[in-house]
Amino acid sequence: QVQLVESGGGLVQPGGSLRLSCAGSGSIFSIYAVGWYRQAPGKQREWVAGITSGKITNYVDSVKGRFTISRDNVKNMVYLQMNSLKPEDTAVYYCKATAYGKDYWGQGTQVTVSS
């Protein structure tokens, strides 16, 4: 089992940047595939980016070239660097860890992009 805690959200102007962090504990975090998801008000939760235990990354088309997912297996951390933020990126961002057929979610962190 793994526990996840997200941080790094906040209010940023359009065009700005934020780095979200997902801290994992309680298990061998490096074996988990980790994904970032987001949920905007009134919308379904959507997958944003993912990184495998071998650090292979993938992104939804709407964030390609703007967001970068990375991980530090020594620190048990996964990051989401978000650049060129747009108002439509406003959402609660969650990280999810998956291993052995089980999913674990963090509590989420709010990102608001507004002038």
Side-chain angles (χ1 to χ4, degrees), residues 1 6-7 18-19 25 29 33 36 38 43 45-46 51 72 79 82 85 91 107 109:
Q1 191 170 356
E6 301 97 333
S7 61
L18 283 174
R19 188 177 82 156
S25 63
F29 190 61
W36 282 99
R38 65 187 180 187
K43 295 187 177 181
R45 190 171 299 188
E46 67 167 347
I51 186 166
D72 183 334
Y79 304 101
M82 305 187 296
L85 283 161
Q107 84 290 347
T109 185

Side-chain angles (χ1 to χ4, degrees), residues 28-82:
I28 306 173
F29 190 61
S30 61
I31 71 172
Y32 288 80
V34 178
W36 282 99
Y37 292 73
R38 65 187 180 187
Q39 188 166 19
K43 295 187 177 181
Q44 289 189 330
R45 190 171 299 188
E46 67 167 347
W47 172 81
V48 175
I51 186 166
T52 68
S53 58
K55 298 187 179 181
I56 296 172
T57 61
N58 208 347
Y59 302 90
V60 68
D61 285 347
S62 60
V63 308
K64 283 181 179 177
R66 300 189 298 124
F67 291 11
T68 303
I69 189 171
S70 62
R71 69 189 301 163
D72 183 334
N73 288 334
V74 173
K75 296 181 178 179
N76 286 352
M77 298 290 293
V78 172
Y79 304 101
L80 186 68
Q81 178 66 45
M82 305 187 296

Side-chain angles (χ1 to χ4, degrees), residues 5 55 83 94 109:
V5 178
K55 298 187 179 181
N83 298 327
Y94 301 88
T109 185

Side-chain angles (χ1 to χ4, degrees), residues 3-25:
Q3 293 78 46
L4 304 173
V5 178
E6 301 97 333
S7 61
L11 173 64
V12 63
Q13 292 187 341
S17 298
L18 283 174
R19 188 177 82 156
L20 305 184
S21 299
C22 174
S25 63

